[in-house]
Amino acid sequence: MRIFLYIALAAVAVAGFLFMTEGKEEKVKERHWMGAWMTAMQEPFDDGESHEGFKDQTVRMVVKPHVDGDQVRIRLSNAFSNEELNIDKVSIGITKKGAETKGEPVSVSFDGKKDVRIPAGERTSSDPIPIKISEDEALTVSLYFKGESGPATWHPRSMQTTYSADGDATGKAGKDGYKSIEKGWYWLDGVDVRTDRKVKGSIVVLGSSIDNGNDSKIDSNHRWTDYLSERINDKADGKWTVLNAGISANQLLDSPEEKGEKAPGRLQRDVFEQTGVKGVIVHQGINDIRHLPETDAVTIIDEMKAMIKEAHKNGVEIYGVTISPYNDSGKYTAEGDRTRRKVNAWMRNSGAFDGVIDFDKVLRNPDDPSRLQPKYNSGDGLHPNEAGYRQMAETVKLKMFEHGRDRQSN
């Protein structure tokens, strides 16, 4: 009788184990990897930290993915270097405040190793990191260089404070020893999160300084793309992630080194290679008109048509953004404004894009459409203020991303 009891108990235990295992497997099946944060990289400047690099120092950066998940992995880029990049230690933690983290940061590995070597012109992703994050939390990533790092592949004007400390401070939760340096994200160009499958895809914003969040408050995450992410989480139950590939002063037709590679040349690296990418929002043209006033509308439109063709070839939906007013800013010309309006008219009426987001309509002054509304003007006549950024995000019709072609945002 006792033998039968043991057998019965063993059977129950095995069944319980199988049930628990199946439950875990089901939870895993309900999750997938999704691009949750990114930034667009460019060449180092001729001076400053990006040029000088780091030696026996730790660089600490803060990013906000705006998504829930139970694992993360980071991507490091050495795209704009002629030499191999050697990083001796990497850590990640949940951000508390400034350079502080909530508890000691977790060590990050690459192919099972604590150090990572990235060949010139390439980038690499870490092993999955068992760290839970919520949509309201930010991540702190620290890189330690024992030897000389060399000039940095980076993203300047991050609108986020970056820190450095002498020696290996990757395991420190506190802020002691850390000091702020030139604002930028150094070598860190992406974060993927293992999240719920209700998140259908990532949407990349390929733009310039307005998308970068210039003139928003530092460390506030008040770019219009941040506001859009928050709105998607509130209104669309987190169906998409928004990846910001804005570069200050970036151009559509031609872009000097300090302004990043021109937008069409960034499509492969900054859009098509992103995890789970579903669509790209192209917000370009204003800097071409401002810096090259002789540029005509046809030239801009032809470049946009080529980008549309390339996006569709790669199975990615592409949404256009009308060019907002820029009177009262530097380099304004009446001819440039006429070019802007012609491009906008084509975007609204051609049906070439899978959708159009009409920021010109949102931001322009009804009494003078060549100017921004005073309540949305940061003061330079070109960049919106935070109220403008919020309004931009509020006017994007989220169903456009759901239905694809022929769905206009305004």
Side-chain angles (χ1 to χ4, degrees), residues 190-241:
V191 175
D192 290 345
V193 173
R194 197 177 75 160
T195 188
D196 195 288
R197 286 190 177 273
K198 71 180 181 182
V199 182
K200 296 182 177 182
S202 59
I203 299 168
V204 180
V205 178
L206 192 73
S208 55
S209 58
I210 293 176
D211 311 284
N212 192 61
N214 289 25
D215 292 319
S216 63
K217 185 179 178 181
I218 302 297
D219 299 332
S220 67
N221 293 301
H222 285 172
R223 309 165 191 85
W224 79 263
T225 55
D226 294 306
Y227 288 129
L228 180 60
S229 293
E230 293 171 2
R231 184 165 169 247
I232 286 172
N233 285 324
D234 291 340
K235 303 294 184 181
D237 198 24
K239 288 182 180 178
W240 306 281
T241 59

Side-chain angles (χ1 to χ4, degrees), residues 358-374:
D358 202 342
F359 284 163
D360 170 49
K361 180 180 178 182
V362 172
L363 297 172
R364 70 191 181 205
N365 187 334
D367 296 326
D368 184 352
S370 71
R371 291 178 164 87
L372 294 172
Q373 289 195 53

Side-chain angles (χ1 to χ4, degrees), residues 18-62:
L18 291 173
F19 177 78
M20 291 174 63
T21 303
E22 288 178 3
K24 289 181 179 179
E25 288 178 351
E26 284 302 315
K27 288 184 178 180
V28 170
K29 290 178 181 178
E30 291 172 0
R31 293 182 175 273
H32 62 165
W33 287 100
M34 186 60 59
W37 176 90
M38 71 157 289
T39 192
M41 290 295 187
Q42 60 187 85
E43 294 187 0
F45 285 172
D46 292 334
D47 53 22
E49 275 89 4
S50 69
H51 174 75
E52 296 168 4
F54 304 89
K55 181 180 180 181
D56 192 26
Q57 289 175 288
T58 301
V59 182
R60 177 162 282 188
M61 298 162 286
V62 177

Side-chain angles (χ1 to χ4, degrees), residues 2-22:
R2 186 174 295 177
I3 293 174
F4 287 117
L5 179 60
Y6 288 155
I7 293 173
L9 289 173
V12 171
V14 170
F17 173 76
L18 291 173
F19 177 78
M20 291 174 63
T21 303
E22 288 178 3

Side-chain angles (χ1 to χ4, degrees), residues 114-156:
K114 300 301 182 184
D115 64 336
V116 58
R117 305 289 183 260
I118 309 174
E122 297 186 17
R123 57 186 181 180
T124 189
S125 293
S126 73
D127 300 328
I129 309 158
I131 183 171
K132 290 184 178 180
I133 184 173
S134 76
E135 64 186 59
D136 299 320
E137 292 177 314
L139 291 171
T140 296
V141 178
S142 303
L143 314 177
Y144 171 60
F145 300 90
K146 185 176 182 179
E148 293 184 357
S149 68
T153 291
W154 76 318
H155 178 90

